Amino acid sequence: MTGGEQTAGRGAGAGPVLLGVRHHGPGSARAVRAALEEVRPRVVLIEGPPEADALIPLAADEEMRPPVALLAHAVDEPGRSAFWPLAGFSPEWVALRWALEHHVPARFIDLPATHTLAWGRQEDEAGTEGEHPPPAETAPDGDTGPGSAELRIDPLGVLADAAGYDDPERWWEDVVEHRGAEEGDALAPFTALEEAMGALRETFGSGGHDRDLVREAYMRLQVRAAQREFEDGVAVVCGAWHVPALRQKTTVAADKALLKGLPKVKTDMTWVPWTHRRLARTSGYGAGIDSPGWYGHLFSAPDRPVERWLTKVAGLLRAEDRIVSSAHVIEAVQLAETLAAMRGRPLPGLSETTDAVRAVMCEGSDVPLALIRDRLVVGDVLGEVPPSAPAVPLQRDLTRLQRRLRLKPEALERELELDLRKENDAARSRLLHRLRLLGIAWGEPAASRGSTGTFRETWRLRWEPELSVRVAEAGVWGTTVLSAATAKAEADAVGAEGLAGVTGLAERCLLAELPDALPTVMRVLADRAALDTDVGHLAQALPALVRSLRYGDVRGTDTGALAEVAAGLAERVFVGLPPACAALDADAAEEMRGHVDAVHGAVALLGDAPAAGHGRLRGRWQSVLRVLSGRDTVPGVIRGRAVRLLLDDGQLAQDEAALLMGLVLSPGTPPADAAAWIEGFVGGGSGGGMLLVHDERLLGLVDAWLTGVPAEAFTDVLPLLRRTFSAYEPGVRRTLGELVRRGPGTGAGATAAGTATPGFAAGFDTERADAVLPVVRLLLGLDDMEENTDDNLAGVTG
């Protein structure tokens, strides 16, 4: 059928008006609106899943703000899902809104989602789940996104190449986005695009998109049904790639034959918020575009789009404390227009405006351009869906909690500081922890920049559209966030493979305040702890339990049962650790040293717990450390660490520590074992460097041993020593070098010559200390306090 016949489609018997578009193309969206205004159809058919027909009226809701997406998921497998995103500049969204505003029926006519999701289940294609585009979501050029190994053509790329362009995006901007509809004929752009796509289909057939043949057969059947009902008042908005196929003359029997035997799966569908970032091609979305924010601007700017865009850019740069004036904007506009004229473009495009911004506003630097691309070219716009949209009960409960706690989902990542002593912040913490238990990673814990106390938490929040799928998936566990998290925690405890997994789960249950789940988790924990004989597993599990006790304290949770399990676990570690540390190779010894450090920290916290009997744990642990420090069968790295921990706790005098070091560094000890002992004693980020700086006896022992290591053994111990000392701060390494150069002696704070080294005298210098006292009193305000006290006393006595 020729272009003239297609344009004449508004006449009697000429067939439907086919409006071929590029998904998410603002030029296509404007052209669709103009064509619908001119044609005034009696029904609008749109490429999309027919199950969403009941959801179309929601597009007119005042609380519906694009970008949004139709979400379909399998009822019995919510994780198997598909999205059909729509932005405010998407032609399909414009067609929906036009139909609703003019009280014209609108229908979706693509292959039903019940078949699309079943296809994905059969072939296990990644493109049907989560953030990937579904097979039903076809790009304007026919690309259905990842998930197929077939050779597929890029229609836009072919047309751009034929026109002499090396960039399909730039070609599309020039021929569509920057050109309006021809005067007096709103269908002219669609006629030209249909002719181009018709030539491509004649040359390439389906172009490797074999599934499109089935989809197009279904769409032809729906178009025929609409024609029977509305005669010639039918307008179809679909991807331009499909237009030649919909115009093709086929029999009903042939189309039905293509649809025979398609797999099915029960499906639910709703609207969910979407983001501009998820419309970007870089997100993995097969029908994505490179610049959603730029396209949104082109669609919404009524006039002078370049001037308005560069004004936005200037505002962003000024907000980031860059000096940008109105003169910069004027100069950038002039440069962009000049570049467009030199390159033969009808209007400045994104490349011209970007080059102008780089030259004029960024002084040739690409660094600010990264911010502009992230915030404006792509953008972080998050759509909104009205509460009346269908949703699983869990989603409704989550929405209610978000509103009550004033935690609005946002596309832009932000940090949230919580003070758990405040009721609302504690409730926010519970919600975020419960969602993490359910696999809904809206928030991720982050390191706090303020206090490190257990009453403070820092979260990094960012709402991603695929989290709606995770909510639907988690709906199988319960109808509320609390009930679902409780059921999920109990199931995870029963199914956990190792002891560490159960202890971690107990910690998360306390953080999420799930009292109903704790009995099950604690029962499983006690059973696993009783059966597990691996000291390494027990040592891994203990720190998590002790952390849980601290969390329980700040949240006011009863942790008595947990404390008893932790104490029992610690006793088993104490008994099993010395035998477990015997005859270990280097890697196993290093891993066991980590366990020793973890248990030491846990015992320090557990010893402060209020539960009866825990006070004796510290003494028991110190006895274990003494055994480890003096047993020759224990690797040197563990013996050295045991000595260091005892020294830090004040359970070992410095003279005794020096004696043990002297014995280890004696000529009878193999150099490799001595180097490992040193690594355990002063390595591993334990502040050993400062210990050597302030105790020259220990430094002298290390120095004397190192200078006496035989040449043939030195190369063997050098890597271990390098690892030990390279972990020190530069200032510590520099001070140690100075001390070694001066020649440390065997006495504390004395050099070989018997004279005191500056800053390391054998005793306190009281005269120098007295000189500092006035400054300290001034800083602390002690003089003012005494004056006020004297004045008050004088007033009382007076």
Side-chain angles (χ1 to χ4, degrees), residues 651-780:
Q651 300 301 311
L652 200 64
Q654 289 203 353
D655 291 340
E656 193 175 355
L659 177 61
L660 290 172
M661 178 182 277
L663 292 173
V664 170
L665 300 184
S666 64
T669 305
D673 193 34
W677 196 97
I678 294 174
E679 162 71 8
F681 187 72
V682 296
S686 61
M690 292 303 298
L691 181 65
L692 295 178
V693 166
H694 291 291
D695 193 332
E696 287 194 73
R697 288 178 305 170
L698 300 181
L699 179 60
L701 289 171
V702 174
D703 182 51
W705 167 78
L706 186 59
T707 56
V709 173
E712 61 274 10
F714 187 78
T715 55
D716 294 333
V717 302
L718 183 60
L720 184 59
L721 292 172
R722 181 185 294 274
R723 183 178 69 184
T724 301
F725 291 99
S726 65
Y728 295 164
E729 294 290 335
V732 173
R733 294 202 303 268
R734 184 167 53 252
T735 303
L736 289 174
E738 286 293 325
L739 291 175
V740 171
R741 182 180 62 81
R742 292 170 183 162
T746 56
T751 64
T755 59
T757 302
F760 296 95
F764 293 111
D765 189 336
T766 56
E767 185 177 348
R768 294 179 66 188
D770 290 340
V772 177
L773 285 177
V775 178
V776 174
R777 296 180 66 85
L778 179 63
L779 292 173
L780 297 178

Side-chain angles (χ1 to χ4, degrees), residues 362-437:
C362 301
E363 300 177 346
S365 173
D366 283 339
V367 175
L369 289 179
L371 176 68
I372 294 169
R373 171 164 181 78
D374 184 66
R375 298 280 185 85
L376 294 181
V377 177
V378 175
D380 279 303
V381 178
L382 176 65
E384 295 183 23
V385 172
S388 55
V392 295
L394 181 62
Q395 177 66 68
R396 296 195 180 281
D397 184 59
L398 174 57
T399 302
R400 178 185 62 82
L401 291 172
Q402 288 171 333
R403 290 179 175 175
R404 182 170 67 83
L405 300 176
R406 298 187 296 280
L407 268 180
K408 185 178 180 181
E410 296 176 353
L412 187 65
E413 185 177 284
R414 69 182 180 99
E415 280 197 354
L416 177 68
E417 292 279 350
L418 298 179
D419 185 342
L420 302 182
R421 296 168 296 185
K422 300 178 180 178
E423 183 177 350
N424 192 65
D425 280 4
R428 288 176 169 183
S429 173
R430 287 194 296 270
L431 173 62
L432 293 172
H433 281 295
R434 288 170 183 174
L435 292 177
R436 290 191 76 226
L437 259 172

Side-chain angles (χ1 to χ4, degrees), residues 284-299:
Y285 172 42
I289 51 181
D290 289 334
S291 47
W294 166 252
Y295 273 10
H297 169 79
L298 289 180
F299 183 72

Side-chain angles (χ1 to χ4, degrees), residues 150-237:
E150 300 176 49
L151 179 63
R152 294 174 172 178
I153 69 163
D154 176 5
L156 291 189
V158 174
L159 294 174
D161 185 63
Y165 283 74
D166 57 1
D167 183 2
E169 287 287 328
R170 191 158 59 89
W171 173 82
W172 181 263
E173 278 194 357
D174 285 355
V175 301
V176 177
E177 305 304 340
H178 294 164
R179 297 186 188 275
E182 294 182 13
E183 187 69 25
D185 190 357
L187 295 182
F190 301 105
T191 300
L193 198 55
E194 181 176 346
E195 289 176 349
M197 290 297 172
L200 290 177
R201 297 290 300 246
E202 288 179 6
T203 303
F204 297 103
S206 65
H209 309 281
D210 292 340
R211 282 191 174 180
D212 287 349
L213 300 178
V214 179
R215 297 172 54 207
E216 289 160 354
Y218 187 88
M219 285 192 273
R220 282 193 296 266
L221 291 175
Q222 301 309 303
V223 172
R224 289 191 188 100
Q227 283 184 288
R228 287 194 298 269
E229 184 178 354
F230 296 97
E231 297 179 354
D232 296 326
V234 178
V236 181
V237 179

